[in-house]
Amino acid sequence: MSSRTSRRCRQPRRIDTPRRGVTILVVLILMSVMVLGGMALARVTEIGTLATGNNAAREASLQASEVGINTAFAATQALASEETNSGNWYWATTQAADANGMPNVSWGSAPEVVVGPYSVRYIVERLCSVAPVTDTLRQCLVRQVPQTNSSRVGAEAVDPPNTRQFRITVRILGPKDAETWVQTLVSKGSS
């Protein structure tokens, strides 16, 4: 028997020219998309951190404004005369205001209270159009407290007592040149 040796010859594999490098191109595109996604995620995280910090600073400045409001209210309660201006923090009449409703006064000379890194300055205005006041109900903003009437027949109705209204404006300067304004109305006594 004759032995036949069969040899198989492998022919070299032919690579298509159009398919060469497609895999590396796809990998590069996917890596670019992943890098851009990572950068976007980092930016969103950074914005979230900045927003949280800004909110914390705003809350701290509002807490500092409470010190200014309480200090101004105590000073208003201790006023000897509401009819005359007192220094650089109290006015017996309403002052002219800017477009935002903030009084046009010299804030540099207003009393200052330092609360941590915050500088708190305050002013007080009596909500009256003239000084001296001759008719409180017509010339000033007042709050009337309702009173119970007498149940006795023929008894005269009592006029309700009036409380004077004051507007306290507080300016808070904080870190990074942050500026916060707070206004509130307070009442004092009855006449």
Side-chain angles (χ1 to χ4, degrees):
M1 237 178 142
S2 82
S3 82
R4 211 176 193 191
T5 327
S6 83
R7 273 184 159 180
R8 286 189 166 175
C9 291
R10 286 191 174 184
Q11 291 187 351
R13 196 170 133 201
R14 194 173 144 226
I15 299 174
D16 283 355
T17 310
R19 297 179 98 194
R20 184 179 294 171
V22 170
T23 304
I24 197 157
L25 183 62
V26 170
V27 168
L28 286 174
I29 290 173
L30 288 176
M31 284 181 61
S32 298
V33 168
M34 289 174 52
V35 166
L36 289 174
M39 288 172 55
L41 183 62
R43 182 67 179 157
V44 166
T45 304
E46 179 186 3
I47 289 172
T49 303
L50 289 174
T52 302
N54 288 343
N55 191 35
R58 185 177 73 83
E59 289 298 320
S61 69
L62 288 176
Q63 288 176 0
S65 74
E66 289 293 323
V67 173
I69 290 170
N70 290 334
T71 304
F73 182 68
T76 304
Q77 293 290 80
L79 273 175
S81 170
E82 297 171 0
E83 299 296 327
T84 58
N85 295 345
S86 177
N88 49 4
W89 68 275
Y90 175 76
W91 285 269
T93 58
T94 307
Q95 299 299 294
D98 64 11
N100 296 319
M102 297 300 134
N104 291 327
V105 297
S106 172
W107 284 98
S109 60
E112 179 181 28
V113 179
V114 177
V115 180
Y118 297 96
S119 167
V120 181
R121 293 188 182 267
Y122 62 89
I123 62 140
V124 180
E125 305 166 89
R126 184 171 179 191
L127 297 180
C128 289
S129 57
V130 296
V133 176
T134 56
D135 184 5
T136 307
L137 293 177
R138 295 189 199 293
Q139 296 171 335
C140 298
L141 177 64
V142 295
R143 184 181 63 149
Q144 293 187 338
V145 181
Q147 297 291 308
T148 57
N149 290 330
S150 172
S151 59
R152 197 176 96 206
V153 177
E156 235 179 83
V158 240
D159 287 336
N162 300 314
T163 55
R164 278 113 37 232
Q165 298 278 303
F166 300 86
R167 179 173 51 206
I168 297 174
T169 304
V170 178
R171 183 187 75 174
I172 303 98
L173 295 177
K176 300 180 184 176
D177 295 328
E179 190 174 48
T180 305
W181 296 83
V182 176
Q183 284 186 324
T184 187
L185 290 178
V186 296
S187 300
K188 179 181 174 187
S190 60
S191 49

